[in-house]
Amino acid sequence: MNILPNIKCSVTECSYNKNVQCDAPMIQVARDGNLNHAQNSDNTKCDTFKPKS
Ligand code: SF4
């Protein structure tokens, strides 16, 4: 069973993206770069991103 809520994602060049939603079984989100304290969404990133081949 998929326990993730629907994740809307506009990164359509990701191989997990299906119809502007994430279809991965789980995703890993991390702080961007070398930050140790995110202050806004720009400071976060999806580590699960995989480019379409
Ligand atoms: S893995 Fe990340 S970038 Fe790719 S569709 Fe899911 S949320 Fe978007």
Side-chain angles (χ1 to χ4, degrees):
M1 191 173 79
N2 189 349
I3 59 168
L4 287 177
N6 289 345
I7 298 172
K8 187 176 174 187
C9 178
S10 56
V11 186
T12 53
E13 61 271 41
C14 177
S15 63
Y16 292 112
N17 200 289
K18 303 282 180 326
N19 300 317
V20 201
Q21 283 200 5
C22 182
D23 197 38
M26 67 168 288
I27 63 169
Q28 169 82 37
V29 178
R31 298 180 199 92
D32 195 18
N34 295 323
L35 292 172
N36 56 22
H37 187 90
Q39 295 190 304
N40 54 51
S41 58
D42 286 345
N43 294 160
T44 70
K45 61 173 183 172
C46 178
D47 272 350
T48 308
F49 170 80
K50 190 171 81 174
K52 282 180 179 165
S53 51

